[in-house]
Amino acid sequence: MTEQPAPTAESVEPTGTAGRARARRARTGVVRIGGALTLVVAGAGLVGWLAPGGLGDPDPIRITDGLSAAGYRTVVDAVAGAPGWLHRAVELATDAALLVLLGLLAVIGWAGHGRNPLLLAGAGLTLVVTAGAYGLSEGLKLVVDQERPCRALSGVEPMATCPAVGDWSFPSNHATIAAALAVGLAVVVPKLALVTLPLAGATALLRVVAGVHYPHDILAGLTLGGVLAAGTVAVATAPTARLLHALRLAPTRKAAPGPTPGRTR
């Protein structure tokens, strides 16, 4: 029986260090997943609390009083009588803000392509979760069937043309999309939060200014898009980056150049 040499300190330490690193990554992953689940559950609870009902009710929900209706009237009355060019500017601004966020996402994705798989993965996940949040928002509209405030309330003059009958109000699609894009970008590149988060908030608020949404519609949309993006992008970016690299769709980060082997100074 051949005697095995006793392990040396040099042979044990790398293995132990790698094991501790894996354990730290595992703990970090568990914490992130737990935090993401908590955030999503809390967000779902808030959206459910903001919803006016509608499940199982064959008739559309009409909100005519309460805090949200009063807030809507206050905002719409404040901008009543604004010139026509401002009406058009408000309508264009909401769509333009979404295009700016999409443009930033494209820039981040392009910056990551060929250089940084984390940026590429984060941008891709943000786009996917934004599409998912939009789909979920549309599904909620069909369940809640909440009438637009510009039709439910009398004596209001909205800036924008009131959407057609059957185009429901809760939650706001614009707010959902803006929040998903803004939060996803902020998770991928935290410095962008100074730009993306205010832009998403302004996009949502302009939907009330335009007269097509109640305040609780945009709060629900911001919550829906924001928590889905935060939870998904924070947890799944690193695994997605590794998958992209394994599929040869993204490179590994280039290491800093070191000394050339065999050369001395």
Side-chain angles (χ1 to χ4, degrees), residues 49-190:
W49 179 73
L50 289 168
L55 184 62
D57 191 341
D59 298 321
I61 301 295
R62 300 175 68 88
I63 307 296
T64 56
D65 55 14
L67 188 61
S68 191
Y72 171 85
R73 282 189 180 276
T74 299
V75 173
V76 172
D77 289 346
V79 297
W85 65 265
L86 185 59
H87 292 209
R88 291 188 293 274
V90 167
E91 290 191 68
L92 290 174
T94 55
D95 293 330
L98 295 183
L99 291 177
V100 170
L101 290 170
L102 282 170
L104 285 173
L105 188 65
V107 169
I108 296 301
W110 180 255
H113 178 68
R115 284 180 291 175
N116 190 330
L118 289 175
L119 289 182
L120 182 60
L125 282 171
T126 298
L127 185 62
V128 170
V129 79
T130 298
Y134 169 74
L136 186 55
S137 174
E138 280 292 309
L140 285 173
K141 284 178 179 287
L142 296 177
V143 171
V144 176
D145 289 355
Q146 178 191 284
E147 191 64 272
R148 294 272 180 174
C150 42
R151 284 194 298 273
L153 297 174
S154 59
V156 295
E157 297 180 5
M159 277 189 169
T161 302
C162 197
V165 175
D167 188 344
W168 308 115
S169 182
F170 181 93
S172 166
N173 282 342
H174 278 76
T176 301
I177 294 170
L181 290 172
V183 173
L185 282 165
V187 173
V188 177
V189 184

Side-chain angles (χ1 to χ4, degrees), residues 108-125 188 236-246 248-254:
I108 296 301
W110 180 255
H113 178 68
R115 284 180 291 175
N116 190 330
L118 289 175
L119 289 182
L120 182 60
L125 282 171
V188 177
T237 295
T240 302
R242 290 194 292 269
L243 177 61
L244 290 176
H245 175 63
R248 299 183 182 276
L249 297 175
T252 303
R253 283 184 175 180
K254 294 181 179 179

